[in-house]
Amino acid sequence: QLGIWRNKSIAVDSDEAMDKFTDYTIYGYRPRGFNMAEKFLRLFSKEADDYELALLRHLRHARYAIYQIEDTDGSEFLRAVDVFSKQTYRLMDYQMAKTAYTGLMLAGYLVDFDEFTIQTGGTVLVTREILQADEVEAIIDEIDDEQLASFLNDATNGAKLARAIVTATFRFQQSSNFKHHRV
């Protein structure tokens, strides 16, 4: 369950929580196996221009990852490593490149482009409490040692982990733990 349900509606009490919930609904909620970017691409591709089509093609392949910051150039790029697959990402994020530090652990959807990767608005600061939450541990326990590196390549597994992490974030009221601060 994501958030707190009231009168058959979800109650989201902050912009940060809304970012996390919105990201989950765009990328993680996959009725009939397709996320919202994929559905939009299938339904409205004839009305989209070349730029929109290219963007949607990248967005439909967004993958959920728990990743750790290795270093930053201090102005626009960070190097991050996926905790499970050990894949390295060249993240473009102007604000975070100025404020992030080595060892910072985050979770969220990543969108790969040819030269760089971006993170989406629902990024979560991964704390010990989040990692040890029952719902998160249940998903991590499902991972077979042989499939550790490829577990999140399956969009369904990514959606399960995203839901567990976002749920734990809401439950522990940590949705505002990660914000960019202007320097």
Side-chain angles (χ1 to χ4, degrees):
Q1 175 178 332
L2 292 168
I4 301 166
W5 291 91
R6 292 190 190 126
N7 298 328
K8 297 184 182 180
S9 299
I10 189 164
V12 179
D13 61 359
S14 69
D15 289 341
E16 294 84 11
M18 189 58 169
D19 285 346
K20 287 155 186 57
F21 180 72
T22 301
D23 253 24
Y24 175 77
T25 59
I26 292 170
Y27 303 109
Y29 180 64
R30 304 180 67 81
R32 298 190 180 119
F34 302 109
N35 66 25
M36 292 307 289
E38 175 81 19
K39 283 183 185 178
F40 193 86
L41 185 62
R42 288 170 176 247
L43 295 174
F44 302 106
S45 63
K46 290 180 182 163
E47 289 112 27
D49 62 29
D50 289 343
Y51 173 79
E52 292 167 328
L53 287 172
L55 182 60
L56 284 168
R57 286 183 183 117
H58 288 286
L59 291 175
R60 76 176 172 187
H61 295 296
R63 62 184 302 263
Y64 201 76
I66 297 176
Y67 51 99
Q68 193 164 27
I69 303 302
E70 287 203 335
D71 58 42
T72 175
D73 69 5
S75 64
E76 59 185 344
F77 289 103
L78 303 105
R79 189 164 43 111
V81 175
D82 185 304
V83 171
F84 294 122
S85 72
K86 305 303 181 203
Q87 180 177 348
T88 301
Y89 297 100
R90 182 173 183 242
L91 289 177
M92 177 187 266
D93 188 312
Y94 297 108
Q95 277 302 112
M96 193 164 78
K98 295 174 184 158
T99 59
Y101 53 87
T102 300
L104 179 68
M105 190 177 292
L106 304 167
Y109 280 95
L110 299 175
V111 181
D112 291 314
F113 292 91
D114 295 332
E115 302 291 323
F116 58 90
T117 300
I118 61 170
Q119 58 188 354
T120 59
T123 304
V124 172
L125 174 65
V126 179
T127 63
R128 182 179 310 273
E129 191 173 36
I130 298 287
L131 276 178
Q132 294 175 343
D134 293 340
E135 53 269 52
V136 174
E137 282 188 343
I139 301 301
I140 292 173
D141 287 345
E142 285 182 25
I143 305 172
D144 215 341
D145 287 344
E146 291 84 43
Q147 70 176 161
L148 182 62
S150 63
F151 183 77
L152 293 179
N153 286 340
D154 179 337
T156 302
N157 293 335
K160 284 186 213 174
L161 184 59
R163 180 179 176 150
I165 287 178
V166 171
T167 298
T169 300
F170 286 176
R171 187 163 55 89
F172 295 128
Q173 299 179 344
Q174 293 184 12
S175 61
S176 62
N177 278 0
F178 180 66
K179 297 184 218 179
H180 292 296
H181 299 284
R182 295 204 183 276
V183 283

